[in-house]
Amino acid sequence: MNSFCRARIAALDSLDLKKVLRRKNPYLFRASGISNAADMVEQLLNAHVSSSDETIFGNLFFEPICKAVTKAPIAAATGADFVLETDTTYEVIALKSGPNIFNASQSRKQQDEFDEIEKSLKATLRSLRKQFIPIMGCGYGRTPRPSSARRRFSKMAGQAFWRHVTGDPDFYLKLIRLMKEEPLKTREQFVIARNNALNRFVREFTTDFCGKNGAIDWEKLTTFNSGEHEVI
């Protein structure tokens, strides 16, 4: 958990407010009735941290654990993380944090990547008489049954995924027990880093996107976000 905390803090320390603002919808914030710079920045920061944490946690918690418990080789192909091989099957696993982080276009891209892997292995697997099985594995959550007819790869999440790769139906619970009280020991460090980032961004946002009277200059913000010419 220490590595997760360090990575979260490092991500906050290196975060660029203007890069975040470029990716957000100023019309939505305006329509939401936000008029306070601190509220605006806090919403931006919360949304970014939530998304960033999913990626960091998947890389530093789920992935190392999956590698350790399965002793599976790491796949050397784009779109795949691990390979589980038996006498009759060749399972290629793309590991994700949760089942709901992919939109339709990302799901199609994952399918294309699986297709490329299968194409590159086709001759080898035919000679070995092994079935190619593409799997999107998710560290938490549930997946609906039956699987989508548009998707040609299996999607396993939570208990079902961990049982599949470890053979232990209770492994998903063992993961939560593994943490014990460790997250509480690093919480204070993260709160300090988050507050520092919040203060830093409020100062920057107020300087660049608020008028002399302190009100948010929505036209300036929208021009920065969506205008054809560079500003600020």
Side-chain angles (χ1 to χ4, degrees):
M1 299 310 298
N2 286 335
S3 60
F4 174 59
C5 178
R6 287 194 297 270
R8 295 178 83 200
I9 291 174
L12 279 176
D13 290 343
S14 63
L15 189 60
D16 186 318
L17 174 64
K18 290 187 173 63
K19 287 183 179 179
V20 176
L21 285 171
R22 289 281 193 197
R23 299 192 295 267
K24 298 302 178 181
N25 183 348
Y27 304 97
L28 177 59
F29 281 108
R30 178 64 162 155
S32 299
I34 292 177
S35 60
N36 185 296
D39 290 343
M40 175 84 172
V41 169
E42 185 160 23
Q43 285 201 30
L44 287 168
L45 192 58
N46 288 343
H48 177 83
V49 167
S50 178
S51 175
S52 174
D53 279 355
E54 283 279 0
T55 301
I56 294 171
F57 192 78
N59 292 338
L60 296 180
F61 187 80
F62 286 141
E63 189 169 322
I65 286 178
C66 189
K67 179 181 177 182
V69 298
T70 62
K71 297 182 175 60
I74 297 175
T78 301
D81 296 299
F82 299 97
V83 170
L84 287 177
E85 196 169 358
T86 70
D87 292 339
T88 58
T89 62
Y90 190 89
E91 296 184 353
V92 175
I93 299 173
L95 183 62
K96 311 298 177 185
S97 285
N100 301 316
I101 62 172
F102 262 28
N103 57 34
S105 64
Q106 290 169 320
S107 185
R108 286 193 295 271
K109 180 181 178 182
Q110 181 65 67
Q111 182 64 67
D112 290 342
E113 289 171 340
F114 279 140
D115 289 344
E116 284 298 314
I117 296 171
E118 182 178 18
K119 182 179 178 181
S120 69
L121 294 170
K122 192 170 185 178
T124 301
L125 295 181
R126 184 187 296 119
S127 66
L128 296 173
R129 296 183 180 179
K130 292 189 178 187
Q131 179 185 4
F132 178 83
I133 302 177
I135 297 173
M136 180 190 289
C138 307
Y140 70 87
R142 297 179 178 179
T143 51
R145 295 177 181 275
S147 298
S148 169
R150 298 181 180 179
R151 194 178 64 231
R152 298 191 301 279
F153 58 85
S154 299
K155 192 173 182 181
M156 299 181 185
Q159 182 182 18
F161 171 69
W162 292 110
R163 182 180 61 234
H164 180 75
V165 298
T166 68
D168 183 352
D170 293 327
F171 191 82
Y172 78 116
L173 295 176
K174 292 177 180 177
L175 288 179
I176 205 74
R177 296 170 193 153
L178 177 68
M179 296 182 188
K180 298 181 180 179
E181 302 302 317
E182 288 301 312
L184 297 180
K185 297 177 183 179
T186 58
R187 177 65 182 172
E188 185 176 353
Q189 301 171 42
F190 176 74
V191 169
I192 291 172
R194 183 188 178 281
N195 288 341
N196 288 343
L198 184 61
N199 292 337
R200 186 170 70 249
F201 292 158
V202 168
R203 180 182 61 193
E204 183 180 353
F205 185 88
T206 302
T207 300
D208 292 339
F209 299 108
C210 289
K212 291 182 179 179
N213 64 351
I216 296 174
D217 187 334
W218 288 102
E219 289 194 13
K220 188 175 184 181
L221 177 61
T222 304
T223 299
F224 169 78
N225 174 277
S226 304
E228 292 184 348
H229 303 291
E230 186 71 25
V231 294
I232 298 195

